[in-house]
Amino acid sequence: MTPEAEVWPNILNEIQRRVRQQQFETWFRSVKLRACSPETLTLSVPNSFHHHWLERRYLETIRGAALAVLGTTPRVELVVEEGPEARAAAPQPLPPSPTESSQRAHYPRDWAARLNSNYRFSNFVVGPSNALAHAAALAIAENPGSAYNPLFLHGGVGLGKTHLIQAITHRLLDSRADLKILYIPCESFMNHFIASVQNGERGEFREVYRGLDALLLDDIHFLSRGTREATQEEFFHTFNALYNAGKQIVLSSDCAPREMTRLEERLVSRFKWGLVARLDPPSYETRVAILRKKAEMRGRRFPDEALQFIAENIDTNIRDLEGAVNKVIAYAALTNKPIDLELLQHALRDVLERVATSVTMDDIIRVVTAEYRVKLAELQSKRRSQSIALPRQVAMYLARSLTRHSLEEIGGYFGGRDHSTVMHACDKIASLMEKDPSMAATIEHLTNRIRAR
Ligand code: ADP
Ligand code: MG
């Protein structure tokens, strides 16, 4: 395969993760990779309007995606495709933005996410870290509504929640044509609800969701991050209606039910009625097996020493393992070299650097106390004045994002606070960063200083 053919699907994948589905379809489906080197990406686009739009809106997105795949940030050159068809093409009208009310709240094509065809049971590697979740998912796919209800899957990012929940969906869609099955990310569910309220279509909304035989709701932690109580309320009633009718509910979340502190207690307690299964980071053996599988799915065989090298160095999550496989394949194709240790060192240098400089709690404390001129003892004290509370929250946020300590561990470190306090601190800083660019800049600056230590 040419380097272009190897690299482009990966870059597209990365782009797809960064933009809305509709934007992706409109602006990226028709883009082709003409040439590729670590320095330059040459993309061809169908017409000059497209050229203009990509240049104005999406250059950083493309470069970021390229960085994730190639490990370098190439220059992006856009060229308009030659050919009669392309020349004749008139500028296209802008696609409607997804929030425009012209988009009626109809079900389900415009809201339900498309399933990833790779997220099937046959591609899911089972190990001790995910065996329970996998077994429960299989049981549900065989016997929806009667095995475990609801099934609540939780675990950190990149550990396979979406893969498993979609695997159940695929299996149900393949085997049970008689059932109405819906997989939907929680954010889309919430947007759908809000749109249906605005459009006076609440009745239809209820009809659709309460008429399902299986509802698979991904990333339910979004419910607790927003302040949309009406959406929580609606979800509560949807849940009850389905549950009481013996319909299957599957939920995924990045935290355990008890950590969803901003959710109403009556909802949280329902999450525990069925089975709660946690996905943990994979063990070394499972990492090797996953890497082998991922390479195989790309039509490759990595030498054992390569699999072992990656598994030893990357122990965060499965998305990172997959990213490493993609990088290695792209790098080998670009340089036309065999996959050996030397190539791995080059292809994965940024990942390896990050591993070498893993952050400790002390690093964070040193940088935060210097920045805010406070003492560690103050951060650990019960004082709640703003001059202490803010740096404490910042430190908690940084600990959560830069280390692998659990909420409990972080809370313990800051004077025995509980996990919900840490969670609240993280939410608060995240929302400040969204509203206030100077907060975002401070966090970035602190992060860089901590990483530089
Ligand atoms: P989450 O939803 O928990 O953040 P995903 O389900 O999106 O994580 O998984 C991240 C990537 O890792 C996906 O590409 C997925 O296919 C892959 N993955 C996760 N768990 C496994 C597994 N057990 N076997 C194979 N691939 C996995
Ligand atoms: Mg997910």
Side-chain angles (χ1 to χ4, degrees), residues 144-158:
S146 51
Y148 308 101
N149 208 13
L151 171 63
F152 189 100
L153 298 171
H154 72 98
V157 293

Side-chain angles (χ1 to χ4, degrees), residues 119 123-126 130 156-163 290 294 318-319 322:
Y119 290 0
N123 291 328
F124 192 83
V125 176
V126 184
N130 58 28
V157 293
L159 295 182
K161 301 182 293 294
T162 298
H163 190 136
I290 288 171
K294 296 292 171 188
I318 298 158
R319 185 167 295 145
E322 203 165 48

